[in-house]
Amino acid sequence: LAFRYCTELKDINLHDGITHIGERAFIYTGLTEITIPKGLTELSKQVFDSTPIKSIVIPDNIKIIRERAFDLCDNLETIVIGDGVTDIELCAFETWRPATVSVTLGKNVTTMGKNVFDGCTGTLTITGNIPYTPSSYSNYNDWLYGADFTEIVVADSVETIPDNAFNFLYNSLQKVSIGTGVKSIG
């Protein structure tokens, strides 16, 4: 909670030697952009929750994006998740106001929590694994629950689209582009 409620804080320079930023460190600040230090390996729970950040690039040094790290960042337009990220926890990019975003999911994400992109619309580009988080209610992919992506781009680097990959996007999905590397669709 180091800078919580510092609503006039618009800019911060973080050096690459920083190895830890605690939970909710920048919650409710006025940050509109942030460069993630190279010394970090994870983004803490709710670290940038409820900030007006417009664009975020998660560098390859980040392995885990904790629960609600960018929750209620309703101004997000671009999310690029680096190839180092393997785990994204519950509601990491959830928004309560429909937000049209361009999301690029890195090649090595294997574990996704529920409702990761809840409230997000726009384009989802997948460059590697298509994670599957089974729902306890039916055969849909729980990390997509609440998301309303209108377009899915599956990059050439993807080989398999698993069962139920995009099953829950039935009310919003309008366009799908499947890359030349895809050999199997579940």
Side-chain angles (χ1 to χ4, degrees):
L1 303 172
F3 297 97
R4 181 174 70 162
Y5 293 118
C6 294
T7 58
E8 294 303 310
L9 178 62
K10 310 282 188 225
D11 185 37
I12 190 164
N13 294 314
L14 301 171
H15 64 83
D16 286 337
I18 294 173
T19 59
H20 176 77
I21 298 175
E23 291 182 9
R24 301 176 184 96
F26 298 101
I27 190 171
Y28 302 118
T29 64
L31 290 175
T32 57
E33 61 183 71
I34 187 77
T35 300
I36 306 294
K38 292 181 179 165
L40 290 180
T41 57
E42 73 174 50
L43 294 176
S44 297
K45 181 178 176 181
Q46 293 181 283
V47 67
F48 298 108
D49 188 336
S50 301
T51 61
I53 290 175
K54 292 183 179 183
S55 177
I56 187 67
V57 175
I58 311 292
D60 291 344
N61 52 288
I62 299 295
K63 307 298 180 215
I64 300 170
I65 301 172
R66 295 285 180 203
E67 182 177 324
R68 302 180 187 278
F70 295 91
D71 190 33
L72 306 181
C73 292
D74 294 339
N75 294 329
L76 269 173
E77 297 172 355
T78 306
I79 302 167
V80 178
I81 299 170
D83 291 339
V85 176
T86 58
D87 295 37
I88 302 175
E89 294 184 353
L90 171 78
C91 300
F93 298 95
E94 175 188 45
T95 180
W96 287 357
R97 180 187 60 81
T100 302
V101 294
S102 170
V103 177
T104 302
L105 194 60
K107 293 180 181 179
N108 296 307
V109 176
T110 55
T111 304
M112 297 281 263
K114 294 182 180 188
N115 302 56
V116 169
F117 297 106
D118 191 357
C120 294
T121 66
T123 303
L124 172 63
T125 301
I126 298 176
T127 62
N129 300 314
I130 298 176
Y132 180 67
T133 303
S135 168
S136 55
Y137 301 111
S138 65
N139 292 328
Y140 64 79
N141 204 344
D142 247 0
W143 68 271
L144 285 173
Y145 184 81
D148 289 316
F149 289 111
T150 56
E151 181 177 2
I152 300 289
V153 177
V154 179
D156 291 343
S157 54
V158 177
E159 294 182 4
T160 302
I161 298 175
D163 291 348
N164 302 306
F166 308 113
N167 190 12
F168 196 74
L169 296 175
Y170 56 82
N171 285 327
S172 60
L173 191 59
Q174 298 171 15
K175 181 179 179 183
V176 176
S177 300
I178 298 176
T180 59
V182 174
K183 306 290 185 244
S184 173
I185 299 175

